[in-house]
Amino acid sequence: MIRDYQALQHTWFEKGKQRIIKTTGKHRGVKLLATLDYATGRIVWQEDEQYTAETFLHFLKKVVDAYPSGKIVMILDNARIHHAKLLQPFLEELNGRLELIFLPPYSPQLNIVEGLWKWLKSDIINNVFYHTVKEIRQNVRTFMEQIMTDPMNIIDRLCIRM
């Protein structure tokens, strides 16, 4: 979730004149789902109004459509929507083509998508005031479109090379 209450990131300011970032005081935001292909740097992502099992199922279908052949292995955290019973018929229909592997609890450092969110927040959220969620959405979309033009940069920044 990319929230609209902004945060200060490392920044320079004149001594005694700390930078102040306005805030709306509301808890609005942009909910994002994404996969990052470790080998190619390809990102499949979507923004949604809410996190639900139905939303996640729609996202899984989008990922399967993006990779029409071969086996897909997704590494996930243990969010409740990732374990929903609603997913089972879809996963069974794929006959093992999509395998979900879950990270140990409380281990976000093992999830490379967390690095993507950190990068996104660093570049477009921190130290910036947005008047509307629409502005955030537009900048998120622009950021994602921009970084996806250079998959090797994504790999260099987020993936460990063997």
Side-chain angles (χ1 to χ4, degrees):
M1 171 104 156
I2 306 301
R3 297 202 183 269
D4 76 339
Y5 42 90
Q6 290 69 30
L8 283 176
Q9 181 179 338
H10 298 288
T11 186
W12 293 99
F13 50 85
E14 190 176 335
K15 186 175 181 175
K17 295 187 179 186
Q18 181 174 346
R19 185 169 182 187
I20 297 172
I21 306 296
K22 294 192 299 185
T23 182
T24 62
K26 299 178 183 174
H27 297 286
R28 302 171 304 180
V30 178
K31 295 175 178 79
L32 302 170
L33 295 167
T35 61
L36 172 56
D37 186 322
Y38 198 87
T40 67
R42 181 179 184 189
I43 297 172
V44 177
W45 72 284
Q46 78 180 33
E47 176 202 334
D48 242 299
E49 293 294 318
Q50 53 189 336
Y51 286 130
T52 64
E54 291 83 6
T55 302
F56 186 57
L57 177 59
H58 180 262
F59 180 67
L60 290 179
K61 290 177 180 178
K62 184 175 183 174
V63 171
V64 169
D65 289 346
Y67 293 91
S69 63
K71 183 168 178 119
I72 303 167
V73 177
M74 287 182 70
I75 310 298
L76 301 164
D77 62 21
N78 282 284
R80 187 174 287 174
I81 65 170
H82 298 159
H83 293 280
K85 291 179 183 176
L86 175 75
L87 307 176
Q88 289 312 309
F90 175 70
L91 294 171
E92 289 169 8
E93 180 183 309
L94 293 174
N95 293 322
R97 193 165 98 71
L98 175 60
E99 181 179 357
L100 306 181
I101 297 178
F102 297 96
L103 291 170
Y106 309 106
S107 57
Q109 74 281 4
L110 300 176
N111 188 345
I112 59 174
V113 170
E114 293 296 335
L116 175 62
W117 302 145
K118 183 177 179 181
W119 182 7
L120 184 147
K121 288 176 183 179
S122 173
D123 281 18
I124 69 162
I125 297 297
N126 295 342
N127 299 332
V128 178
F129 172 71
Y130 291 101
H131 292 277
T132 66
V133 174
K134 182 179 178 181
E135 289 178 277
I136 298 171
R137 285 186 175 120
Q138 179 57 47
N139 284 355
V140 166
R141 188 175 308 110
T142 300
F143 171 85
M144 296 298 280
E145 289 169 357
Q146 178 189 1
I147 68 167
M148 289 189 307
T149 62
D150 188 0
M152 286 309 296
N153 186 40
I154 294 169
I155 291 171
D156 287 343
R157 184 151 182 170
L158 301 175
C159 303
I160 300 169
R161 291 199 176 187
M162 300 299 207

